[in-house]
């Protein structure tokens, strides 16, 4: 097969000239409390459906005795999303100044937990 034949075959293979992330217009933002994605980072399982600069493999950690509060943002300004019980598993995707960002599962909820309320991230 000549190079010209090979290129013609690629054009007709059904693949989009734009690749998997075609710029086709505005896309609705996912609910930040339900989908583990931020502007800079997302859960690695979202790599085929959402485009961000970085993807993180979750690091599961257990909630310490006494439980923990999942917040909408790090710090006391955040809104309480839910309470986690001792032993619940939390998937840590990022750590920011004493707060872990992550999710309970790929379907959420998503938020921030104080790192001292989780098993060692060491």
């Amino acid at each position: 097969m000549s190079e010209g034949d090979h290129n013609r075959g690629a054009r007709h293979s059904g693949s989009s000239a734009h690749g998997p992330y075609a710029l086709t217009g505005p896309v609705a933002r996912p609910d930040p409390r339900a989908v583990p994605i931020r502007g800079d980072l997302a859960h690695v399982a979202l790599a085929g459906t959402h485009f961000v600069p970085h993807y993180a493999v979750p690091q599961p950690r257990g909630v310490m005795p006494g439980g923990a509060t999942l917040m909408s943002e790090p710090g006391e300004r955040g809104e309480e999303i839910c309470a986690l019980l001792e032993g619940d598993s939390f998937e840590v995707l990022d750590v920011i100044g004493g707060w872990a960002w992550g999710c309970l599962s790929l379907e959420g909820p998503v938020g921030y937990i104080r790192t001292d309320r989780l098993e060692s991230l060491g």
Side-chain angles (χ1 to χ4, degrees):
M1 176 184 285
S2 73
E3 185 176 336
D5 291 337
H6 177 71
N7 289 338
R8 276 192 296 280
R11 278 196 299 266
H12 297 294
S13 68
S15 63
S16 169
H18 300 287
Y21 302 106
L23 300 176
T24 59
V27 175
R29 282 184 173 246
D31 180 352
R33 295 182 187 185
V35 180
I37 186 170
R38 301 186 314 208
D40 64 331
L41 183 68
H43 192 294
V44 70
L46 299 174
T49 59
H50 294 81
F51 182 73
V52 294
H54 303 282
Y55 298 94
V57 174
Q59 301 298 310
R61 297 292 183 258
V63 175
M64 298 292 286
T69 303
L70 184 65
M71 304 293 286
S72 62
E73 57 185 272
E76 303 309 317
R77 299 174 302 157
E79 186 178 312
E80 183 177 327
I81 296 172
C82 67
L84 304 178
L85 303 175
E86 175 184 343
D88 283 347
S89 182
F90 184 74
E91 296 185 356
V92 176
L93 298 169
D94 192 18
V95 177
I96 306 160
W99 291 85
W101 176 74
C103 56
L104 293 179
S105 74
L106 192 55
E107 292 80 34
V110 179
Y112 294 85
I113 292 179
R114 293 183 54 83
T115 56
D116 63 1
R117 303 305 314 140
L118 296 170
E119 293 173 337
S120 175
L121 297 171

